[in-house]
């Protein structure tokens, strides 16, 4: 096949089939099979598939030979006369006792002659044009969940339009039963592992393992690649391993034991919002942490790395009357690469700028290789939630970038869909930086519009009315700026695309946010465009949905389970907290077009689509990035 993926499974060690085919006319199904007859550009093909190999099993077990069952289907990939690749799925097998042989019936629409066709069994593993490897990504690495789920076998054959030749369906996967050891090989750590990622080049697979003893089963589609990278975690420690010169053959099973080196720091950029491993690095300005331990984060500008690759869209703007084509760093120069060091900047030290819970973050420093900021989280989120901001500095003590560490029980595992008609938003359950449970009792962090760094939800802040640039925001992430007086602007220059990189418009923006390096959200999430709040308030506003019991507003009349707390705001005139418990606001990523220095908001205490000065400190409710 064209691609390679890794899968945690308990698939069959071998599945080999032989195929014989007969074609029948729709008009005469009683007589012996004949050449296919085309009527209305439709051809019906009947295919008999036999499984070969006495020890071929579906479930990598010794319980018996793989047999066909009722309702199973195959897929046939072919090209029509327009040159398009088409998938035909057979009719489900009717009830019956099949054993190792069954007959499948396909209906092909407008098929072209003289072409190669591909058979895929079972059909659930087929995409529109090939094997859909993502269909296998529901596995958890244990035998018990995979007994009927992974029989991937494919084959290609030439078809001249008159008859399908007999083909052999070969199993595409090698099965590894993996035992993990500590680096010395003296301790078995397999049963402690909660997540594991297996990577080969551009291909990877992640498993989040459930409570089950025994080996972790990995199904690999073999290729010529000789290097495999493995990352595993027990929820507290990371383990790594690089395997070289390993060639695993399809239809074979292997018992393997890997000695894993313990990594001193868990890399936040390869953990998702629930703390599970993800195969590729995703960077952000906010990292969610759930458990105590030692962590590191890459010295990268915001979301300038996405899915392990440079995400230049995050720091490449767009031309317009009130937009920027480049995004400044701390010295005012344009960001030209994802890593801080790519921009001829050497990070010398790191510091904790603030935290809202004592002992939340300690031991802030720089890794030996100079590529990561390191830190220690003191307690699990079940014991102590909170927020902190940490910063990287150059040799002269200038802050070159900073990050929000959010120690939280929130995982963003459950999102609420708000379908506006022109765009769907997957809305997170709480504002960024939320501390407290339930959501009606607590506080969140606050943000000036277009800035990446949070301000605490309690206490006072440093306030400044002096001239400020975007570079000043980066060098002084704890300073609350108002350079516009009554106009309420956080800097001398504001752009429409501070949080939405390609945006040249304002107000009711219905397209998806193109997340920038200044976006304050965790990896995979972003500030929503104004259309979200325009929709839920019917544009001009609706009657109040105030919940006096929980001090906030509920979205129940539009879409359930989106609650907006009355967490108040920070005044643009002095940075002080105001109206906590009585009023609620949330920023959108969209500017307001009629007055400079304004941006669109949701005013949830009145359920109103509105706008305000960008120098206010308001909460952010993130949505899933698209």
């Amino acid at each position: 096949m064209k691609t390679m993926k890794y899968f945690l499974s308990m698939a069959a060690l071998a599945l080999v089939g032989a195929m014989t085919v007969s074609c029948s006319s729709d008009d005469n199904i009683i007589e012996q099979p004949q050449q296919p007859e085309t009527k209305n550009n439709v051809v019906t093909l009947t295919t008999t598939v036999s499984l070969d190999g006495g020890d071929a099993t579906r479930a990598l077990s010794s319980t018996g030979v793989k047999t066909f069952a009722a309702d199973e289907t195959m897929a046939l990939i072919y090209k029509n006369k327009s040159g398009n690749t088409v998938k035909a799925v057979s009719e489900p097998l009717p009830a019956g006792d099949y054993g190792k042989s069954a007959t499948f019936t396909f209906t092909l629409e407008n098929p072209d002659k003289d072409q190669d066709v591909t058979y895929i069994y079972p059909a659930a593993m087929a995409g529109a044009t090939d094997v859909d490897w993502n269909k296998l990504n529901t596995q958890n690495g244990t035998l018990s969940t995979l007994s009927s789920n992974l029989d991937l076998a494919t084959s290609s054959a030439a078809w001249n339009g008159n008859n399908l030749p007999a083909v052999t369906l070969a199993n595409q996967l090698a099965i590894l039963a993996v035992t993990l050891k500590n680096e010395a090989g003296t301790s078995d750590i397999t049963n402690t592992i909660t997540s594991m990622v297996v990577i080969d080049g551009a291909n990877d697979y992640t498993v989040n393992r459930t409570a089950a003893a025994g080996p972790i089963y990995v199904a690999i589609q073999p290729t010529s690649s000789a290097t495999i990278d493995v990352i595993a975690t027990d929820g507290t420690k990371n383990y790594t391993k690089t395997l070289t010169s390993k060639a695993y053959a399809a239809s074979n099973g292997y018992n393997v034991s890997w000695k894993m080196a313990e990594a001193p720091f868990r890399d936040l950029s390869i953990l998702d919002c629930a703390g599970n491993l993800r195969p590729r690095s995703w960077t952000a300005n906010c990292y969610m942490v759930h458990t105590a331990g030692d962590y590191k984060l890459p010295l990268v500008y915001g979301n300038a790395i996405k899915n392990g690759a440079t995400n230049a869209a995050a720091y490449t703007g767009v031309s317009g009357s009130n937009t920027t084509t480049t995004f400044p760093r701390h010295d005012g120069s344009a960001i030209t690469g994802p890593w801080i060091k790519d921009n001829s900047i050497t990070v010398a030290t790191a510091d904790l700028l603030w935290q809202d819970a004592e002992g939340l973050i300690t031991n802030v420093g720089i890794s030996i290789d100079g590529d990561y900021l390191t830190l220690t989280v003191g307690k699990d989120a079940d014991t102590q939630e909170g927020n902190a901001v940490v910063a990287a500095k150059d040799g002269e003590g200038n802050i070159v970038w900073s990050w929000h560490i959010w120690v939280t029980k929130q995982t963003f595992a459950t999102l609420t869909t708000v379908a506006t008609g022109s765009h769907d938003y997957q809305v997170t359950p709480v504002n960024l930086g939320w501390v407290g449970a339930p959501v009606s009792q607590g506080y969140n962090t606050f943000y000036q519009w277009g800035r990446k760094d949070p301000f605490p939800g309690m206490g006072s802040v440093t306030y400044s009315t002096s001239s400020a640039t975007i570079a000043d925001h980066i060098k002084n992430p704890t300073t609350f700026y108002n350079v516009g007086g009554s106009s309420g602007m956080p800097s001398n220059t504001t752009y429409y695309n501070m949080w939405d990189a390609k945006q040249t418009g304002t107000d009711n923006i219905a397209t998806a946010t193109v997340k920038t390096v200044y976006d304050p959200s965790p990896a995979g999430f972003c500030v929503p465009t104004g259309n979200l709040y325009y929709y839920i308030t019917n544009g001009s506003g609706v009657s109040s949905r105030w919940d006096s019991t929980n001090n906030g507003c509920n979205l129940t009349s539009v879409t359930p389970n989106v609650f907006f707390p009355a967490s108040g705001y920070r005044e643009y005139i002095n940075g002080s907290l105001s109206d906590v418990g009585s009023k609620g606001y949330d920023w959108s990523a969209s500017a307001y077009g009629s007055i400079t220095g304004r941006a669109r908001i949701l005013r949830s205490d009145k359920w109103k689509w509105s706008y305000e000065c960008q120098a206010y400190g308001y909460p952010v409710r993130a949505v899933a990035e698209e």
Side-chain angles (χ1 to χ4, degrees):
M1 306 307 297
K2 298 177 181 178
T3 59
M4 174 200 167
K5 288 282 183 179
Y6 289 93
F7 308 98
L8 300 186
S9 75
M10 54 178 195
L13 287 178
L15 179 63
V16 181
M19 175 179 291
T20 59
V21 181
S22 63
C23 302
S24 63
S25 165
D26 290 338
D27 296 333
N28 189 352
I29 60 174
I30 299 176
E31 296 182 4
Q32 294 297 318
Q34 302 173 5
Q35 300 295 330
E37 179 179 340
T38 300
K39 287 193 173 183
N40 298 323
N41 297 320
V42 173
V43 173
T44 301
L45 299 176
T46 301
T47 302
T48 301
V49 179
S50 298
L51 300 177
D52 190 13
D55 60 351
T57 67
R58 161 177 282 179
L60 193 63
S61 69
S62 58
T63 57
V65 175
K66 164 73 184 80
T67 59
F68 289 111
D71 295 325
E72 289 193 322
T73 55
M74 288 185 63
L76 180 66
I77 307 294
Y78 68 98
K79 288 186 177 181
N80 60 22
K81 290 186 181 298
S82 299
N84 298 320
T85 301
V86 183
K87 175 180 68 176
V89 177
S90 69
E91 296 177 9
L93 292 177
D97 232 349
Y98 289 99
K100 294 173 60 180
S101 179
T103 299
F104 295 89
T105 301
F106 296 95
T107 299
L108 278 61
E109 296 185 5
N110 197 29
D112 198 7
K113 295 182 179 181
D114 299 317
Q115 61 170 299
D116 289 337
V117 295
T118 301
Y119 304 86
I120 301 173
Y121 172 80
M125 303 309 172
T129 61
D130 208 334
V131 174
D132 186 350
W133 297 105
N134 289 326
K135 295 287 181 67
L136 302 173
N137 286 3
T138 58
Q139 312 314 324
N140 72 354
T142 61
L143 284 172
S144 59
T145 62
L146 301 166
S147 59
S148 61
N149 206 354
L150 190 56
D151 289 321
L152 178 60
T154 69
S155 183
S156 295
W159 177 45
N160 62 12
N162 296 318
N163 206 348
L164 284 169
V167 298
T168 298
L169 290 182
N171 183 269
Q172 300 293 294
L173 304 172
I175 310 302
L176 312 184
V178 182
T179 299
L180 302 180
K181 301 279 190 178
N182 64 354
E183 191 169 15
T186 58
S187 176
D188 188 329
I189 62 173
T190 309
N191 293 339
T192 68
I193 296 301
T194 57
S195 300
M196 187 168 77
V197 174
V198 183
I199 306 169
D200 175 36
N203 305 294
D204 48 62
Y205 181 74
T206 303
V207 61
N208 297 320
R209 200 178 188 214
T210 57
I216 299 174
Y217 288 89
V218 183
I220 300 176
Q221 186 208 358
T223 69
S224 59
S225 176
T227 301
I228 298 174
D229 291 315
V230 184
I231 306 170
T233 183
D234 61 9
T236 301
K237 302 174 183 176
N238 277 3
Y239 298 89
T240 62
K241 177 73 173 179
T242 297
L243 304 163
T244 57
S245 302
K246 294 293 182 182
Y248 298 110
S251 302
N252 287 317
Y254 302 85
N255 290 308
V256 298
S257 179
W258 296 337
K259 295 179 182 179
M260 308 291 291
E262 183 178 336
F265 300 98
R266 299 184 70 198
D267 186 348
L268 289 170
S269 72
I270 59 171
L271 300 177
D272 65 17
C273 291
N276 298 314
L277 284 174
R278 70 169 104 220
R280 304 285 167 178
S281 178
W282 289 59
T283 61
N285 290 316
C286 173
Y287 291 100
M288 299 168 70
V289 181
H290 310 283
T291 58
D294 297 322
Y295 294 88
K296 66 179 182 179
L297 60 89
L299 297 175
V300 168
Y301 294 111
N303 60 317
I305 290 179
K306 183 176 181 179
N307 198 25
T310 296
N311 180 29
Y315 53 87
T316 305
V318 62
S319 297
S321 60
N322 200 8
T323 62
T324 180
T325 57
T326 59
F327 291 83
R329 58 195 196 219
H330 80 287
D331 59 5
S333 301
I335 295 171
T336 57
W339 290 83
I340 293 174
K341 67 181 180 180
D342 294 339
N343 296 261
S344 301
I345 298 170
T346 300
V347 173
T349 60
D351 199 5
L352 171 67
L353 301 185
W354 65 262
Q355 57 184 334
D356 57 16
E358 185 177 357
L360 186 73
I361 303 295
T362 58
N363 301 327
V364 178
I366 300 298
S367 63
I368 295 175
D369 60 13
D371 288 339
Y372 293 86
L373 183 148
T374 60
L375 57 93
T376 299
V377 175
K379 297 179 181 179
D380 293 347
D382 288 337
T383 303
Q384 178 176 263
E385 291 186 298
N387 297 277
V389 172
V390 294
K393 298 180 177 180
D394 63 16
E396 297 179 354
N398 298 310
I399 292 175
V400 298
W401 205 258
S402 49
W403 296 266
H404 174 200
I405 306 300
W406 181 15
V407 181
T408 176
K409 294 188 287 288
Q410 295 292 330
T411 63
F412 288 178
T414 302
L415 307 175
T416 300
T417 301
V418 177
T420 68
S422 59
H423 190 64
D424 289 356
Y425 297 86
Q426 302 295 320
V427 184
T428 55
V430 297
N431 293 337
L432 294 184
W434 186 262
V435 173
V439 294
S440 58
Q441 301 171 10
Y443 62 90
N444 50 238
T445 47
F446 296 97
Y447 303 82
Q448 293 189 292
W449 191 83
R451 296 186 65 177
K452 65 185 181 66
D453 293 292
F455 292 92
M458 58 178 68
S460 60
V461 297
T462 301
Y463 178 75
S464 174
T465 58
S466 63
S467 177
T469 64
I470 297 171
D472 290 322
H473 291 169
I474 297 169
K475 289 186 293 185
N476 303 290
T478 62
T479 300
F480 197 93
Y481 285 101
N482 176 19
V483 305
S486 60
S487 298
M489 295 171 60
S491 66
N492 301 330
T493 305
T494 60
Y495 300 112
Y496 294 162
N497 59 335
M498 292 293 291
W499 280 343
D500 190 358
K502 305 304 179 184
Q503 193 53 250
T504 60
T506 61
D507 301 314
N508 183 19
I509 303 299
T511 54
T513 302
V514 179
K515 184 178 179 179
T516 77
V517 288
Y518 302 143
D519 187 295
S521 311
F525 295 86
C526 61
V527 183
T529 51
N531 178 248
L532 172 63
Y533 298 143
Y534 180 88
Y535 172 78
I536 65 176
T537 64
N538 292 330
S540 60
V542 295
S543 58
S544 176
R545 296 189 176 94
W546 183 253
D547 182 342
S548 57
T549 301
N550 295 311
N551 288 334
C553 280
N554 232 313
L555 190 54
T556 52
S557 65
V558 181
T559 303
N561 304 324
V562 180
F563 178 81
F564 291 86
S567 51
Y569 59 93
R570 286 193 176 273
E571 290 277 7
Y572 76 91
I573 55 173
N574 56 20
S576 64
L577 286 170
S578 184
D579 290 335
V580 176
S582 62
K583 293 182 180 180
Y585 304 83
D586 280 274
W587 285 124
S588 78
S590 302
Y592 176 62
S594 298
I595 305 175
T596 300
R598 304 292 191 272
R600 283 297 187 178
I601 64 167
L602 168 69
R603 181 168 180 175
S604 55
D605 60 314
K606 294 186 176 181
W607 216 245
K608 184 179 180 182
W609 155 257
S610 189
Y611 62 89
E612 269 300 355
C613 301
Q614 295 172 1
Y616 272 110
Y618 287 153
V620 166
R621 179 64 63 90
V623 298
E625 190 180 2
E626 299 175 51

